[in-house]
Structure formats: structure tokens, C-alpha cells
Amino acid sequence: VGVRHPVLWFQSFYNFRLSQGYNLPSTDVMTGGCFKSMQAVCADRCRYDAMLAMLGKTELTEEEIGTMSIFGRRKIERDFRKKFKVGRKQPNKIFLYDVEQLHDKNESRVLQFRSDLQRYLGSSEPLPPLIKISPNVGKSNETIDICEGQHSKIREELVYIGSRASRWIREYFLQSEDVFVSSRYYFEESLRLWEIDPCSNKS
């Protein structure tokens, strides 16, 4: 299961939808749930903690739910509680990674990542180097720069979601014996970056 900094994920997916020729609404109306006109691009899609929690790898106590990005967000918290009550715990073990690990420039960590993934998959053969494939739909060259001022509202919400999701993953989800990561320290440091607006260090 792959995750990514919510701000970077949002920009990438928004631009992907633009490249497919869709006309999307302004980002400042995408701070909540998805509507049809949004083509599945909205802030709620970045609530990784809520999605991962559905796998049933944690106890989901009231204290735990209080740390999540859904807490206090009336409708989505209510819907989450309803879905979880009828959900079933998944017996599968989970290999969790941050997309940044796929583009890591540290060769030793890259080799470790492939070795860990090979072991998780139960493969007897070493995995080949990972390659990056960028979709090129070609219908439109229009893109947004998420760091521009008109996108500050969506960034603020995404950083809020990312901060809470990051904490929940580190403090609860990773404690499960069924959840595996590669280079745990590096992985957790990548998650901590979700608490920071990636545009804040740009002039």
C-alpha cells in the first residue's frame, strides 16, 4: 500500500485529471468530500488513516480515533464509525511504503527496499530495479502549481489531514505485527514531513 504527502498527491492527481481533458473546479472548494465535478480529486481522498484503519489492524479505541484526521469532522467521522462497525478485519499482512521511497537516491536504502519487498512477496528471485513511469495522456498541457497563493486554502487542509494521518500511522498502525515497512526510521521521517507545507521553503 503506497501513501504520499497529501499536498504532493493532490497536485499530482489534479494535474493528471487536467491532462485527461477534465475541467476541474477551483481547489478552494475541494477541501472536503468529492463531488462528481471533481473527478475524485478532493481532500478527503488523502485521509490515509481512515482508509488504513478499515483494514482492522488497530483497536480503534476512542483515544485512538481522537488522533485521526476524521475526528471532529461530523459527517465523515459518523460515516467512518458506521462503516467500521460493519467492516471485517483483513487477515492479509500489509507492506506500507511512502512514494518517496520509490525515488530514493540512497542506493543502500533502495537495495534494502527491494530486498524487503521481495521477502514480503515471498519471491525467491531478487526484484529488478524500480522504474518510474509518468502517464502521458496528451489531451491537455494545463497544470497547476500547488504552491501558488490561490491554493493556500487546500494546502492548509491537506497539511492538517497529513499531520493527523502521519501521527496515527506512526503511533498506531505501525505497531501492528501485520504491518511491514522498509527502513523504518527513514519511512517515519518521511511521514513527519506531512506535518509541514512543502511550499513553505519556497521563496
Side-chain angles (χ1 to χ4, degrees):
V1 178
V3 293
R4 191 180 188 186
H5 192 303
V7 173
L8 301 180
W9 175 89
F10 185 93
Q11 175 179 253
S12 177
F13 196 39
Y14 192 103
N15 286 337
F16 173 67
R17 287 304 199 199
L18 288 178
S19 75
Q20 292 181 304
Y22 291 110
N23 292 316
L24 298 177
S26 170
T27 60
D28 60 6
V29 301
M30 295 176 151
T31 56
C34 289
F35 296 95
K36 186 176 181 180
S37 63
M38 299 178 184
Q39 301 300 326
V41 184
C42 64
D44 279 0
R45 290 286 304 280
C46 294
R47 297 185 190 277
Y48 304 121
D49 50 349
M51 298 178 215
L52 292 172
M54 291 296 176
L55 297 174
K57 301 303 181 183
T58 68
E59 295 299 322
L60 276 184
T61 62
E62 287 301 313
E63 179 181 358
E64 180 183 343
I65 292 176
T67 69
M68 298 174 69
S69 67
I70 59 167
F71 185 70
R73 302 302 172 98
R74 299 174 181 173
K75 184 179 184 302
I76 190 169
E77 181 181 350
R78 185 172 62 250
D79 290 347
F80 171 81
R81 290 176 182 273
K82 187 184 302 182
K83 289 178 182 177
F84 184 74
K85 284 181 180 179
V86 299
R88 294 182 178 178
K89 291 188 177 182
Q90 300 295 322
N92 311 70
K93 297 185 182 301
I94 308 298
F95 185 90
L96 185 66
Y97 66 92
D98 189 302
V99 170
E100 297 306 314
Q101 291 180 279
L102 303 181
H103 315 302
D104 192 358
K105 298 186 184 303
N106 184 301
E107 187 61 29
S108 63
R109 282 200 303 258
V110 170
L111 291 174
Q112 184 64 51
F113 182 87
R114 282 158 47 192
S115 175
D116 291 338
L117 183 56
Q118 175 192 344
R119 185 163 58 253
Y120 169 77
L121 295 172
S123 173
S124 59
E125 297 293 327
L127 299 181
L130 303 173
I131 60 174
K132 180 179 180 180
I133 299 177
S134 298
N136 183 15
V137 182
K139 290 186 178 180
S140 172
N141 293 321
E142 182 183 0
T143 60
I144 64 164
D145 179 352
I146 198 72
C147 291
E148 292 181 350
Q150 65 264 37
H151 306 302
S152 60
K153 185 176 180 181
I154 187 66
R155 289 203 316 274
E156 181 179 356
E157 179 62 15
L158 292 170
V159 170
Y160 171 82
I161 291 173
S163 297
R164 286 190 156 248
S166 168
R167 178 185 173 189
W168 179 84
I169 292 172
R170 288 182 285 112
E171 295 183 3
Y172 293 96
F173 195 64
L174 293 186
Q175 307 312 313
S176 170
E177 295 180 352
D178 285 345
V179 178
F180 301 90
V181 295
S182 180
S183 303
R184 180 158 177 163
Y185 177 80
Y186 175 68
F187 177 79
E188 291 195 29
E189 287 302 298
S190 295
L191 292 187
R192 285 188 173 91
L193 292 178
W194 295 8
E195 303 172 10
I196 303 170
D197 183 347
C199 301
S200 61
N201 60 359
K202 293 187 178 182
S203 56

